Amino acid sequence: MKKPWNLNKTWFKSVGTILSLFLILTVTVTGCGGGSSGDGGGGNSSEPPPEPFVPPAGIITKILNIDTAACPEVNVYFSVSDQEKGEPVRDLNDENFEVIEDDTSKIIKDWGELDNVSEPIVFSMVLDYSVSVMDQDLINIEDASTIFVNELFDLTAPFLNWGEITKFARTSEVIEPFTDEKDSILDGIAAPYPDRGITGTNLYDAIFLEIEEMVDFRATSVLALPERSILIVVTDGEDDNKGNYDQQDVTEAAIDAGIEIVSVGFGDEVALEPLFEIAIDTKGLYIYASTSDDLGGAMQIILDHLQHQYWVLYDSTGSGAHMVEVEVTTGSLSDSDSLDFACP
C-alpha cells in the first residue's frame, strides 16, 4: 500500500502546476494591453478627455426691419453680433457694409448706429426644470428671467411686448400663454412646474412646442404684432433623445418660421455644441454661463443685443417686389442676411 504522503505530494504538484499556469496567463493578458499604463495600455482610462467646446470666431448679421415708407428710398435695419460672445459688434461703418438688391450692388446714401431702439418683440422663454437643475439654480433662473422681462418692458415702453413661458423636463408645458401683460408673464416665471420630479430632459421637444406656439399665435392673432420673434432657451443639460424631435427638426422649424433662437447654457454638464449650432443656424445668440449665478449677466447680453442696431439708406430700383441682402465684413469675418420686401 502506497504511503499517504505520496498522495499528498501528487496533489500539491497538481495544484502548483495550475497556479503557475494561472500566473502565466495573468501576466500575458496584462502585457497585451489590459493595463492602464505603459506603451501597450489600451484601457479607457488612458484615453484623453474630450476637448471643451470653444465656439469658432464669426459674426451674425440679421436683417430686422425694412422701412419702405419713403420708397424708392429704403431704410434697412440690421444687427451684427459676435457669435463667440453673443455681444453686439460695435463701431462699424459704411465701409463694412454692402447692400445688394436683386443681385445689383447699391450705393449707401446714409447709415447709422443705434443703441436706444424702442421696438417691441414677440418672445418666449423655455426654461429647464429637470431634476439635474438644483433648487438654487431654479431660483437663479427665475430671478434672471424676471430681470429680463422687467427691463425689456422698460426699454420698449410705451409699446408692449408679447411673451409666453414654457417649462420642461421629461415633458413640456406652456405655463403662461402669450400675453402683453407683464405681470402675467412674471407670474408664469414664478409658477411651479408640475412635472419637476420626472427624470429626463426633452429639450428639443420643448423648443419645438414653443415654435409651434409662436407660429399659431402669429397666425391667429387679430392684432398688429411686432416683426421680431425670439425664443430664449435656458438649460443645464442635453436632450436625452427620447422625444419626438431632434436638433434638425428644431432648426428647420425655426428657420421656416423666422424665429431667432437664443441658447443659454450653464453648468459643467450642458451640451454646448448643439446649443451653439441651433442659435447660429437661426441667426440667434449663443451664451454660456459657467454657473447659474451668471445667468443675470447672460440676460443683460441679450438685452444689449436687442437694443443695438445699424441702419443703411439706399435708393431702391422702384416699385414692386425685391430682395435686399446686407453683407457685413470686419477684418477676416463676414456674414450676410437677405429679406424680401415690396415698394408700394
Side-chain angles (χ1 to χ4, degrees):
M1 184 176 64
K2 294 182 180 180
K3 295 182 180 180
W5 63 265
N6 283 332
L7 289 174
N8 292 337
K9 186 175 180 180
T10 301
W11 184 83
F12 279 117
K13 283 183 178 181
S14 300
V15 172
T17 300
I18 293 171
L19 288 174
S20 297
L21 289 172
F22 176 76
L23 289 172
I24 291 170
L25 288 171
T26 301
V27 171
T28 301
V29 170
T30 303
C32 288
S36 59
S37 62
D39 294 337
N44 291 333
S45 60
S46 67
E47 296 178 0
E51 292 292 330
F53 173 71
V54 178
I59 59 173
I60 309 160
T61 301
K62 171 73 175 178
I63 295 178
L64 306 173
N65 188 31
I66 300 176
D67 184 356
T68 61
C71 260
E73 280 193 334
V74 174
N75 210 337
V76 183
Y77 294 85
F78 59 97
S79 64
V80 184
S81 299
D82 184 321
Q83 74 176 23
E84 293 178 271
K85 301 177 182 178
E87 299 173 351
V89 177
R90 303 179 185 276
D91 301 324
L92 301 178
N93 57 53
D94 58 335
E95 294 182 356
N96 300 107
F97 311 141
E98 182 179 6
V99 177
I100 303 167
E101 183 185 272
D102 301 331
D103 298 324
T104 301
S105 183
K106 293 293 184 178
I107 296 174
I108 296 175
K109 298 174 61 176
D110 200 2
W111 68 278
E113 184 174 6
L114 301 174
D115 240 338
N116 58 347
V117 178
S118 296
E119 186 176 68
I121 64 170
V122 175
F123 73 95
S124 57
M125 306 192 80
V126 179
L127 308 177
D128 190 345
Y129 273 64
S130 57
V131 293
S132 62
V133 180
M134 300 295 100
D135 289 344
Q136 184 59 51
D137 294 331
L138 287 184
I139 293 173
N140 293 338
I141 289 173
E142 293 174 358
D143 286 348
S145 301
T146 298
I147 291 171
F148 172 81
V149 171
N150 279 323
E151 293 197 18
L152 177 64
F153 273 78
D154 288 344
L155 288 171
T156 58
F159 304 105
L160 293 176
N161 306 282
W162 290 85
E164 177 165 291
I165 304 298
T166 289
K167 299 180 179 181
F168 72 95
R170 171 67 69 185
T171 59
S172 48
E173 181 177 338
V174 175
I175 303 299
E176 180 62 43
F178 276 109
T179 177
D180 62 353
E181 295 289 338
K182 183 178 75 171
D183 288 344
S184 297
I185 298 172
L186 296 177
D187 288 343
I189 293 172
Y193 175 59
D195 292 335
R196 158 84 168 137
I198 298 179
T199 303
T201 305
N202 275 336
L203 172 65
Y204 298 138
D205 279 18
I207 297 175
F208 198 92
L209 166 67
E210 195 52 49
I211 292 172
E212 290 185 319
E213 285 281 316
M214 192 171 285
V215 170
D216 289 345
F217 173 62
R218 282 194 169 280
T220 58
S221 178
V222 296
L223 303 170
L225 298 174
E227 291 290 331
R228 201 167 184 183
S229 299
I230 295 179
L231 189 158
I232 301 170
V233 55
V234 182
T235 181
D236 79 328
E238 61 181 321
D239 192 277
D240 59 14
N241 298 317
K242 295 181 179 178
N244 296 316
Y245 302 100
D246 59 19
Q247 179 181 336
Q248 182 176 352
D249 295 328
V250 164
T251 301
E252 291 177 352
I255 292 173
D256 289 344
I259 297 171
E260 303 168 49
I261 296 181
V262 177
S263 300
V264 182
F266 71 91
D268 296 332
E269 303 298 325
V270 63
L272 296 179
E273 190 165 0
L275 291 179
F276 172 81
E277 291 171 350
I278 290 172
I280 302 307
D281 289 345
T282 61
K283 295 286 185 178
L285 292 182
Y286 157 84
I287 304 171
Y288 173 62
S290 57
T291 70
S292 63
D293 293 333
D294 300 322
L295 290 176
M299 294 299 173
Q300 189 58 57
I301 290 175
I302 300 171
L303 290 165
D304 291 343
H305 168 72
L306 293 177
Q307 292 179 78
H308 189 267
Q309 296 183 18
Y310 291 98
W311 59 271
V312 290
L313 184 70
Y314 77 97
D315 285 333
S316 174
T317 304
S319 61
H322 303 283
M323 184 186 76
V324 64
E325 178 182 1
V326 175
E327 182 173 347
V328 179
T329 302
T330 172
S332 62
L333 305 177
S334 181
D335 189 45
S336 65
D337 193 26
S338 59
L339 193 65
D340 295 329
F341 74 97
C343 269

